[in-house]
Amino acid sequence: MLVSTPAHWASWPRLVVLWVACFMLATPMVRAQTAPTWASVRRLPAATSVGQSRAESIALATDGSQYVVGRFTGTLVLGNITLTEGAGSGHLYLAKYSAAGVALWATKLDANGSSVHAKVAVDAAGNAYLAGDFDTFLTLGSTTLTATTVAGTPNDAFLVKYDSQGVQQWVRQAVAGGAGNTGSAFLYGVATDASGNVTIAGDFLNSVSFGGTPFTGAGVYLYRFSPTGTLLLSKQVSDDGFADDLVLDAAGNAYITGGFYNNTTFGTTTLPNAGNADLFLCKLNAAGTLQWVQTAGGPDEDAGTALALDAAGNAVVCGYYGNAKYLVRVTNQGALGWTRVLASGSLGYSPFNAVVYDGRGGFFVAGRFSGSLILGNTTLTATGLSACVARYDGQGTAVWASQAVSTGTPAGSGADGLATDAAGTIYLAGYALSSTQFGSLPVSTGGSDALVATLTAGSVLATHAASPALALAAYPNPASGRVTLTLPVGGGQLELLDALGRRVRQLALPATAGPCAVPLAGLAPGLYQLRATLGNGQPAQATLQVQ
């Protein structure tokens, strides 16, 4: 039932009405503006002078632990854990750190070629899903996968699940093929949902199958698996193009970004190509049906490399537009908003590699640049390559920017992954080629070493009094299994905080007002806060007892 009249609210208990009144009468606090600051930087070093390492993907669990993925050569030292490369020339690692930054466990994967890569996603129970692709063979623990293709670009995609203790649970491999086994399958997107399912998105040439009937031709694919590895959904999203990132909202809608080289069909919509590659963003519902697709681009090489959703389900895509960094905002209904094109020296292909929302109405982007880069009122300059990070507000204005400053030789650093926690702390995964400084924090490296740095998000200057928070109606309360909220307006974002203020779950709210079921499976019994930003920007909250 839609919440549309005062009479509806009159049906709720007096306690709720009084609670709402208290929030509306409260005088909001106006915060002073503080800029983001570098809080810590941690080195993940290669142990030998000829070794190298870099961090490329990072995900956070509900308990604040961090899962870091990257590549290395030689030996890699992670606290008291040492990994040594095996056969082949490409080597991945997955490491778990506690909330305090202590290495808890780590595992390695060995492959034939240096093009091997992976991204990581974590579910509510702390299980980690590693997704990527490899050339010729991939050895992980006692399992060795062999690529099914033998010519051209012999890449196969893979998905592996680890439990919270680092024990391998199951592995899935894409079977790629075609005439003469010259096909390929690539995988760049992975995300989990509230039910513990995992969804992946990538692209293929000739044919691909993670189970069931193979897709043929070429294009972008999407697969979903249950927590036990059972195939739940398979979908060929387009007949051409490549996928670079995937995110899910609370309703299970999938957003995919990447690029396409020819006139390309998504569902019943054909996108014309403007020359070379063009960027796309598409949305599919939980059943895999295309809702909309949007494109942007010009005569040069353009593509989306990463994306994030704001509190109302609107997307910001970062990537490249020719030789420039590129940002574009697309609403949850598929309408193009603002765009930003940022020249960055003579580096050539130089996208922002990662983007996250900060829970304060803005978002952070990260990447690398050379020469000079103008971000709002800040001009960054670098000798060689330099990692950079910037905060934008919801209107696309750069309000803060910083960079890593090399203090050794060779000069160089980069940023490839971002994540954020309930407190607004930003985690950056990257690398440095020599000793480097992040703000006032120096880190000494013995060569090309992986790094994980953190930023405090700072606060935003309020130009007017903040809107009072509404009381969310939540029933039953206490609850187990699920709780139902009654939303006075559609859209927005909901987060659940535990008794220590840590975010344990984040969900996108449905586009229509009315009842909204929130799953509670996997949450420990205790007191939680439900905190929402509704589709009209109004904050709302409630206290919930989980049994």
Side-chain angles (χ1 to χ4, degrees):
M1 182 170 59
L2 297 179
V3 181
S4 57
T5 67
H8 177 89
W9 286 103
S11 66
W12 291 98
R14 180 185 299 269
L15 178 61
V16 174
V17 176
L18 289 175
W19 194 7
V20 174
C22 289
F23 275 106
M24 295 183 70
L25 291 174
T27 301
M29 298 293 291
V30 177
R31 295 177 296 174
Q33 184 179 20
T34 59
T37 56
W38 294 102
S40 68
V41 58
R42 182 168 71 244
R43 176 186 172 200
L44 287 63
T48 62
S49 60
V50 295
Q52 298 181 347
S53 64
R54 62 188 297 170
E56 298 177 320
S57 178
I58 185 168
L60 304 181
T62 56
D63 63 358
S65 56
Q66 307 127 41
Y67 293 75
V68 183
V69 172
R71 285 180 278 186
F72 77 101
T73 60
T75 57
L76 180 66
V77 179
L78 307 170
N80 293 324
I81 304 167
T82 299
L83 301 178
T84 302
E85 68 176 26
S89 58
H91 314 283
L92 298 177
Y93 66 89
L94 167 64
K96 180 179 180 180
Y97 287 83
S98 70
V102 177
L104 301 177
W105 54 259
T107 189
K108 66 165 183 167
L109 299 85
D110 296 309
N112 176 61
S114 59
S115 64
V116 63
H117 72 93
K119 289 183 177 179
V120 64
V122 181
D123 66 17
N127 300 300
Y129 292 88
L130 198 62
D133 52 72
F134 66 95
D135 177 352
T136 310
F137 72 84
L138 180 71
T139 299
L140 51 165
S142 60
T143 303
T144 296
L145 306 179
T146 302
T148 54
T149 53
V150 295
T153 53
N155 282 67
D156 271 10
F158 71 93
L159 174 67
V160 55
K161 178 181 180 179
Y162 299 90
D163 68 14
S164 61
Q165 303 304 310
V167 179
Q168 184 177 308
Q169 302 297 294
W170 47 259
V171 181
R172 298 292 180 266
Q173 178 183 358
V175 177
N181 285 334
T182 58
S184 58
F186 298 90
L187 176 49
Y188 280 87
V190 57
T192 61
D193 61 27
S195 299
N197 303 316
V198 58
T199 300
I200 57 174
D203 53 87
F204 73 99
L205 176 66
N206 288 338
S207 73
V208 65
S209 175
F210 270 97
T213 304
F215 300 132
T216 59
V220 174
Y221 64 77
L222 178 143
Y223 286 90
R224 182 181 303 136
F225 297 89
S226 74
T228 59
T230 301
L231 180 62
L232 301 177
L233 177 69
S234 58
K235 184 73 176 182
Q236 182 169 350
V237 179
S238 70
D239 62 2
D240 188 43
F242 53 92
D244 279 340
D245 201 11
L246 160 79
V247 296
L248 300 176
D249 65 20
N253 298 306
Y255 295 73
I256 305 171
T257 192
F260 62 98
Y261 287 100
N262 304 294
N263 295 345
T264 302
T265 300
F266 292 76
T268 59
T269 302
T270 298
L271 301 180
N273 178 260
N276 213 322
D278 288 341
L279 177 151
F280 79 85
L281 172 68
C282 68
K283 177 181 179 180
L284 291 80
N285 66 15
T289 302
L290 182 72
Q291 303 299 288
W292 50 258
V293 61
Q294 187 57 269
T295 183
D300 295 321
E301 181 101 359
D302 318 309
T305 55
L307 66 101
L309 301 178
D310 69 11
N314 304 305
V316 167
V317 179
C318 65
Y320 55 96
Y321 190 94
N323 289 338
K325 291 174 170 60
Y326 186 66
L327 294 169
V328 59
R329 179 183 184 274
V330 183
T331 71
N332 54 20
Q333 300 300 313
L336 282 174
W338 49 259
T339 62
R340 300 290 182 267
V341 180
L342 308 168
S344 57
S346 58
L347 182 60
Y349 169 82
S350 177
F352 285 123
N353 298 316
V355 55
V356 293
Y357 272 89
D358 62 6
R360 292 165 167 79
F363 59 95
F364 283 78
V365 291
R368 61 178 184 169
F369 76 102
S370 67
S372 63
L373 176 63
I374 299 174
L375 296 163
N377 294 324
T378 303
T379 299
L380 306 178
T381 58
T383 301
L385 301 178
S386 177
C388 61
V389 59
R391 182 185 186 273
Y392 282 77
D393 64 19
Q395 288 71 49
T397 301
V399 294
W400 175 87
S402 183
Q403 69 183 97
V405 178
S406 296
T407 57
T409 303
S413 58
D416 292 311
L418 288 176
T420 183
D421 64 16
T425 302
I426 307 299
Y427 293 76
L428 180 147
Y431 65 93
L433 301 181
S434 62
S435 296
T436 303
Q437 191 153 324
F438 293 78
S440 62
L441 302 178
V443 58
S444 176
T445 68
S448 178
D449 287 344
L451 299 169
V452 174
T454 62
L455 276 165
T456 60
S459 61
V460 181
L461 180 64
T463 57
H464 54 80
S467 301
L470 295 175
L472 281 173
Y475 61 92
N477 193 359
S480 61
R482 71 174 186 175
V483 64
T484 298
L485 308 179
T486 300
L487 304 178
V489 65
Q493 195 82 4
L494 173 74
E495 58 182 3
L496 282 75
L497 308 180
D498 65 13
L500 297 178
R502 299 173 300 189
R503 183 172 61 195
V504 297
R505 192 156 296 173
Q506 185 172 4
L507 307 171
L509 297 173
T512 57
C516 170
V518 178
L520 304 176
L523 295 181
L527 192 65
Y528 292 81
Q529 294 293 320
L530 300 171
R531 190 168 66 187
T533 301
L534 303 177
N536 60 1
Q538 175 70 52
Q541 60 187 37
T543 300
L544 174 68
Q545 182 72 39
V546 175
Q547 295 179 326

